[in-house]
Amino acid sequence: MLKIGIVAEYNPFHNGHLYQIRKIKEIFGKNVFIAVVISGDFVQRGEISFLDKWEKTQVNLEYGVNLITELPLYYSIQNAEIFSKMATRILDYLGMDIQVFGAEEENIEVLQKVLDLQKRQDYKDKLMEYMKKGNSYSTSQRLALKEYELDRIVKSNNILALEYMREIEKSNLKIKPFIIKREISEYNEEKIEKDREEFASASFLRNELEKILEEFCGDKNLKSKKLILEKLEKIQKFVPKKSFEIILENLEFKIKNGINWQKLKKEIFKIVKYKILTEKKEKIMKIYDINCEIYARIYRGAAISKNYKEFLENTKSRNLSNKRVERIILNILLNIKAEMMDFEINYVRILGFDKKGQKYLKKIRENNNFEDIEGKNNFEKKNIFVNWKDIEKFRKFFENNENMENSENIKNFKIQENFWEKIKIEKNGFLLKELFLEKREKLNPIVYLNNQN
């Protein structure tokens, strides 16, 4: 059975995502196994996800995905390089044969040409020249590639595709890359043509949903439900039925509870301003992706700014984009320290599965019982867990085995000294989700045994 892996945010799941899944089955056959690695409640732009991990998982299972796993929080909110690297590693760790991704460039050989070019000294020199002239890294990259007539490659999905391919090559992973060309919509488009019939980007859809939240937020009895549905007609044609149902439920919950992105930004700014201005510099400097220059900018920005928007304006610079600042804000809130970012896979958390996924997991779990480590098997033992409590038990199991550090059996498990810190980060995320979104974290996966796809 061919095993296909996908990396996505599905925020929200739209027709382009469904097209990709259907195209996979068209190309590789209906009986393929599809596993997805998703970012959960916090996403790569440094924001709280519009849909939570469980809403995303529900839609995935409805439309033919067999296994859904979560990209750990401390990796999901970092830059494209880290996000791509760790998501690809997890797919390889899960035993996937092929990683499928959408890109604006459908010829994988062209992307490989760019990868090879970026290793050359002449390209690196040109890139550095443009940066010395005051251009941002992204602009410098585009200008350098233009000299090789490859500047068209600098687009959002192509950049992610390059990072996936770079990681596969660099780490000599077994998984193979495969492109399904992205249809019509750009990843970060915010406006679309009036006659667009089927595809729109997640960015466009989120913007429209935020407009609805801003307009109707606080309507506890949903007296405006008819108007809300009329507004939603603008996006309904761009998302599958199940996705639309979940979006509507999400909107109703947020409207009743007075939750929108502007309110969340206000609350986030209050907390992060307090932390930045009251914590000792030495403590903040331990946070991942902060150096002396960045600390000075965020400290000054926090001191003189009255709100989130002002803070971003007062901290950004040529080398410090708003998105990077927003990622740093989450690193501070979650206490993600530089020393714990070892880029190792300490565990994989399963969010959901169908019958086919259940069968695959059973094969893994039968050979991965940490309570019976001495058992011999042909399947490599991996730290793959179906329930969050199992991750906690796994930690306690090794804490309670004094001689385990000297045991040969430990070689079957990748236990890093940062493992405990990573668990704390995830639990910090659970708490922030409860504070900001008024939702408690689920500990059990979604089991979907009626999938006929």
Side-chain angles (χ1 to χ4, degrees), residues 158-171:
N158 285 343
I159 291 170
L160 283 172
L162 286 168
E163 294 301 337
Y164 295 139
M165 292 171 65
R166 197 188 317 278
E167 179 57 28
I168 290 170
E169 183 180 287
K170 183 180 177 182
S171 296

Side-chain angles (χ1 to χ4, degrees), residues 53-54 57 349-353 385-390 441-447:
K53 67 183 76 170
W54 305 109
T57 300
R349 183 186 183 190
I350 304 299
L351 298 178
F353 53 86
F385 299 101
V386 172
N387 187 298
W388 178 261
K389 288 183 179 178
D390 289 340
E441 175 66 359
K442 282 167 53 71
L443 301 179
N444 301 309
I446 296 175
V447 181

Side-chain angles (χ1 to χ4, degrees), residues 387-402:
N387 187 298
W388 178 261
K389 288 183 179 178
D390 289 340
I391 298 175
E392 297 280 13
K393 287 178 184 176
F394 182 60
R395 180 195 60 159
K396 291 175 182 176
F397 173 73
F398 283 100
E399 280 181 337
N400 294 332
N401 281 267
E402 296 177 2

Side-chain angles (χ1 to χ4, degrees), residues 205-351:
L205 297 174
R206 284 193 304 274
N207 286 342
E208 294 302 311
L209 293 171
E210 285 298 339
K211 289 175 187 176
I212 294 172
L213 281 178
E214 286 179 27
E215 185 173 349
F216 299 103
C217 205
D219 182 0
K220 293 186 177 182
N221 297 316
L222 286 178
K223 294 176 183 177
S224 309
K225 187 168 183 178
K226 185 178 178 181
L227 288 173
I228 294 167
L229 287 169
E230 288 176 2
K231 299 269 185 183
L232 280 172
E233 285 180 4
K234 187 173 181 179
I235 72 164
Q236 188 168 6
K237 64 182 178 180
F238 299 122
V239 297
K241 182 181 177 183
K242 183 65 176 179
S243 183
F244 183 78
E245 290 172 1
I246 287 174
I247 287 169
L248 181 58
E249 290 175 9
N250 181 290
L251 275 177
E252 289 179 356
F253 176 83
K254 286 178 178 170
I255 288 169
K256 282 182 179 180
N257 290 280
I259 300 169
N260 63 27
W261 188 221
Q262 294 307 316
K263 180 182 175 182
L264 290 178
K265 285 181 177 179
K266 185 177 179 180
E267 296 301 315
I268 288 170
F269 178 68
K270 284 180 183 177
I271 300 173
V272 81
K273 179 172 182 174
Y274 176 82
K275 287 201 73 170
I276 291 171
L277 297 182
T278 59
E279 294 280 15
K280 290 183 179 180
K281 178 181 177 179
E282 294 76 24
K283 190 169 183 179
I284 298 293
M285 285 290 292
K286 290 180 179 179
I287 298 298
Y288 181 69
D289 201 26
I290 291 183
N291 56 33
C292 288
E293 182 184 346
I294 290 174
Y295 174 81
R297 295 197 72 86
I298 64 173
Y299 186 90
R300 177 181 176 276
I304 66 175
S305 303
K306 295 179 181 178
N307 55 53
Y308 193 94
K309 185 177 180 180
E310 283 187 15
F311 176 69
L312 293 179
E313 286 296 319
N314 289 326
T315 52
K316 73 175 181 180
S317 67
R318 176 170 60 88
N319 295 317
L320 189 61
S321 67
N322 280 348
K323 288 304 171 189
R324 187 176 177 189
V325 172
E326 291 187 277
R327 288 193 288 268
I328 289 170
I329 286 172
L330 284 182
N331 285 340
I332 293 171
L333 285 178
L334 294 161
N335 198 32
I336 300 177
K337 299 173 185 174
E339 64 184 18
M340 58 150 284
M341 292 292 283
D342 54 14
F343 309 117
E344 293 289 340
I345 300 172
N346 298 96
Y347 57 88
V348 172
R349 183 186 183 190
I350 304 299
L351 298 178

Side-chain angles (χ1 to χ4, degrees), residues 431-442:
L431 180 57
L432 284 187
K433 178 179 180 178
E434 187 174 346
L435 289 174
F436 293 141
L437 299 179
E438 300 180 25
K439 290 183 177 180
R440 298 290 298 274
E441 175 66 359
K442 282 167 53 71

